[in-house]
C-alpha cells in the first residue's frame, strides 16, 4: 500500500496520549440549528466567525489532536487570511474533513437510513488532500425501533463505510469510520449492546473484504447506553463496562484508536463515561480510547459566545476547559473535584 507508513503515523497522532478530536464539521443546515439556540442567522460569514473563534482558542492543541471540518470550512480562512487548514496545522492540529453527503432514506426500508457520498469521492479526496486534509470522516446512522435496524440497513452502511475507507487510504487520508447507533428511543442498554455489536461486527467484516489497513483507521463509535426515553437509565458504571465489553468483542487489536462521538449526551456525562472507561480498563485495552466530540465540546462554548465578539475570549476559555476535561478523561485522570474547581 502506497501510503502505509503515513497512514499509520497520522492515525497514531490523532489518538496521541491525552488528546482527542474536535468535530466541527456540521453541515450548513445543522450549523443553522445550533445558531438558532443563540438567535444568530447562519450565513457564510457567521459560520466563519464561529469556527474562527473555536480554532483560535489559545492552547487548544494541548488537548486537541485534530479538527473535523466541513467542505465550506476547509476553504475558509482566519480573519488574518490564513486558510483554516494551514492555521490549524501551524498549531500542530491535524485538519480533517467530513466527506459523506448525508444519511438518506434507505429504499424499501421505512425509518432507516443509508449514508451516501461514494460517487466522485476519489476526486474529492484528491482535492481535500491538496487543501491539507490528513484524515476524513463518514458517519453511518443506525436507528433502533420497532423491527429495526434490519440487516439491510446494517449491511448497506457497513459496505459504504468500508468503500469510503479504502478510497481514503488509497489517497493517503486516514478514515474515521463512524457507525453511530442513535440514542433516540425507549430501548434498553441491552438492546443498544446487541445492535452496536451487530453494526461493529458487520463493519469489521466489510473493512477486511475491502482490504482496509486497520492500523490506519480510527473507529468512532457511539457508546453502549440506554435510549433517551428508556425509563431505566443505565449507570455511568454500566455504560462504561458495556461499551468496553462490546469493543473488546469486536474491534481488532491492531486498530490504533477509538474516538467516541457524544451523540447528544450532556458534556459532563460524555466526559464521565470516557473517564470511567479509561480509569477502569485502560491497562487491559490494546487501543487508545478518546473523544471526537461535537456537541459535548461545543455546546457550552457556543452558549457563552452567543454570536458576540466581546464574549469570544470567555467562550474560548470554556472550550479549552472542556477539551482539558476530556483530555484528562482519555487518560482516566479526570475527576469530579477537578470539574468543580475549574468551573
Ligand atoms: P456529536 O459528538 O455531537 O455526536 O458529534 C460528533 C460527530 O462528528 C457526529 O458525526
Amino acid at each position: 500500500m502506497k501510503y502505509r507508513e503515513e497512514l499509520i503515523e497520522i492515525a497514531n497522532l490523532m489518538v496521541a496520549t491525552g488528546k482527542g478530536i474536535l468535530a466541527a464539521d456540521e453541515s450548513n443546515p445543522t450549523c443553522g440549528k445550533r445558531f438558532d439556540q443563540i438567535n444568530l442567522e447562519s450565513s457564510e460569514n457567521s459560520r466563519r466567525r464561529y469556527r474562527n473563534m473555536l480554532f483560535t482558542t489559545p492552547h487548544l492543541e494541548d488537548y486537541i489532536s485534530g479538527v473535523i471540518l466541513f467542505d465550506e470550512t476547509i476553504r475558509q480562512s482566519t480573519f488574518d487570511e490564513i486558510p483554516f487548514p494551514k492555521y490549524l496545522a501551524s498549531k500542530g492540529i491535524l485538519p480533517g474533513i467530513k466527506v459523506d453527503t448525508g444519511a438518506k432514506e434507505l429504499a424499501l426500508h421505512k425509518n432507516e437510513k443509508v449514508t451516501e457520498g461514494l460517487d466522485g469521492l476519489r476526486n474529492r479526496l484528491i482535492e481535500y488532500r491538496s487543501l491539507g486534509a490528513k484524515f476524513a470522516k463518514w458517519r453511518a446512522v443506525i436507528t433502533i425501533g420497532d423491527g429495526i435496524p434490519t440487516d439491510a440497513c446494517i449491511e448497506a452502511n457497513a459496505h459504504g463505510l468500508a468503500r469510503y475507507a479504502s478510497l481514503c487510504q488509497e489517497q493517503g487520508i486516514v478514515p474515521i469510520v463512524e457507525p453511530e447507533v442513535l440514542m433516540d428511543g425507549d430501548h434498553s442498554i441491552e438492546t443498544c449492546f446487541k445492535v452496536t455489536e451487530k453494526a461493529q461486527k458487520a463493519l469489521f467484516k466489510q473493512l477486511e473484504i475491502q482490504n482496509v489497513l486497520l492500523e490506519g483507521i480510527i473507529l468512532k463509535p457511539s457508546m453502549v447506553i440506554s435510549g433517551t426515553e428508556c425509563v431505566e437509565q443505565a449507570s455511568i458504571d454500566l455504560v462504561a463496562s458495556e461499551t468496553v465489553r462490546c469493543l473488546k468483542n469486536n474491534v481488532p487489536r491492531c486498530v490504533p484508536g477509538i474516538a467516541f462521538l457524544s451523540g447528544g449526551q450532556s458534556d459532563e456525562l460524555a466526559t464521565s463515561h470516557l473517564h470511567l472507561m479509561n480509569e477502569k480498563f485502560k491497562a487491559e485495552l490494546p487501543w487508545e480510547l478518546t473523544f471526537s466530540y461535537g456537541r459535548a465540546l461545543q455546546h457550552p462554548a457556543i452558549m457563552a459566545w452567543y454570536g458576540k465578539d466581546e464574549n469570544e475570549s470567555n467562550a474560548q476559555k470554556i472550550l479549552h476547559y472542556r477539551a482539558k476535561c476530556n483530555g484528562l478523561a482519555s487518560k482516566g485522570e479526570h475527576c469530579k473535584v477537578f470539574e468543580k474547581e475549574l468551573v
Side-chain angles (χ1 to χ4, degrees):
M1 186 184 280
K2 186 174 167 196
Y3 292 111
R4 188 188 159 89
E5 299 314 318
E6 191 176 327
L7 291 167
I8 295 173
E9 193 188 333
I10 296 166
N12 281 285
L13 286 173
M14 289 165 72
V15 293
T17 308
K19 295 190 188 186
I21 295 163
L22 167 64
D25 58 326
E26 295 83 4
S27 64
N28 292 347
T30 305
C31 207
K33 278 193 226 156
R34 305 282 185 266
F35 285 3
D36 285 348
Q37 297 171 281
I38 56 167
N39 302 320
L40 180 68
E41 196 186 327
S42 177
S43 65
E44 184 176 349
N45 192 53
S46 62
R47 292 189 292 269
R48 178 182 175 197
R49 282 179 58 229
Y50 177 58
R51 265 69 180 250
N52 186 75
M53 182 278 288
L54 295 177
F55 304 161
T56 59
T57 295
H59 309 296
L60 191 63
E61 65 279 10
D62 292 351
Y63 305 104
I64 297 293
S65 59
V67 173
I68 317 176
L69 305 169
F70 182 59
D71 181 77
E72 176 184 84
T73 327
I74 201 170
R75 301 169 197 282
Q76 287 177 323
S77 301
T78 64
F79 289 97
D80 302 330
E81 300 303 336
I82 306 169
F84 281 142
K86 198 170 167 200
Y87 173 78
L88 290 167
S90 76
K91 285 176 72 149
I93 296 178
L94 298 163
I97 180 75
K98 185 235 294 291
V99 301
D100 67 68
T101 55
K104 308 284 161 60
E105 281 180 21
L106 179 64
L108 308 184
H109 291 82
K110 205 164 167 249
N111 299 329
E112 293 196 288
K113 295 198 160 156
V114 63
T115 300
E116 295 187 350
L118 289 173
D119 287 359
L121 182 55
R122 176 178 282 125
N123 287 338
R124 289 198 290 130
L125 289 167
I126 292 169
E127 191 200 4
Y128 287 140
R129 187 175 159 100
S130 76
L131 291 171
K134 300 288 182 197
F135 67 93
K137 181 193 107 171
W138 176 289
R139 170 177 176 254
V141 181
I142 292 145
T143 309
I144 299 181
D146 216 8
I148 61 171
T150 61
D151 288 352
C153 174
I154 299 270
E155 294 299 331
N157 278 298
H159 176 81
L161 277 164
R163 294 274 313 284
Y164 139 82
S166 61
L167 280 160
C168 284
Q169 292 193 338
E170 180 193 78
Q171 300 305 328
I173 291 181
V174 169
I176 293 184
V177 289
E178 179 177 2
E180 176 172 8
V181 177
L182 293 179
M183 284 165 63
D184 303 345
D186 61 2
H187 54 271
S188 63
I189 187 169
E190 289 80 17
T191 303
C192 182
F193 183 96
K194 282 187 200 135
V195 171
T196 307
E197 170 142 289
K198 202 167 175 182
Q200 289 179 3
K201 271 199 201 320
L203 173 61
F204 282 99
K205 186 167 151 236
Q206 287 293 330
L207 289 171
E208 194 188 333
I209 291 172
Q210 298 299 332
N211 282 345
V212 172
L213 175 76
L214 296 182
E215 291 85 344
I217 68 163
I218 298 297
L219 175 69
K220 176 163 173 168
S222 40
M223 295 180 193
V224 174
I225 196 165
S226 320
T228 39
E229 280 134 50
C230 179
V231 280
E232 205 178 312
Q233 289 291 311
S235 63
I236 296 174
D237 216 68
L238 191 60
V239 171
S241 58
E242 286 297 88
T243 302
V244 167
R245 184 163 74 90
C246 188
L247 294 169
K248 276 178 151 182
N249 284 351
N250 300 295
V251 185
R253 300 181 66 84
C254 56
V255 170
I258 296 172
F260 293 101
L261 59 92
S262 61
Q265 296 180 45
S266 73
D267 28 305
E268 288 184 13
L269 202 53
T271 302
S272 299
H273 285 142
L274 180 63
H275 166 72
L276 205 59
M277 281 185 234
N278 279 303
E279 190 189 47
K280 286 179 76 173
F281 303 106
K282 193 173 187 59
E284 60 188 82
L285 299 178
W287 352 264
E288 291 293 329
L289 277 193
T290 187
F291 59 94
S292 174
Y293 294 160
R295 283 161 287 180
L297 279 170
Q298 291 183 49
H299 179 73
I302 196 174
M303 296 316 286
W305 179 57
Y306 228 86
K308 298 194 170 68
D309 289 344
E310 62 266 32
N311 296 336
E312 187 166 299
S313 129
N314 189 37
Q316 290 180 331
K317 280 194 192 115
I318 289 173
L319 174 65
H320 183 268
Y321 168 67
R322 231 29 276 156
K324 181 173 186 174
C325 288
N326 288 307
L328 289 170
S330 73
K331 296 194 284 184
E333 291 173 7
H334 175 267
C335 67
K336 275 270 170 347
V337 181
F338 169 79
E339 180 105 34
K340 282 194 196 109
E341 270 173 13
L342 275 147
V343 167

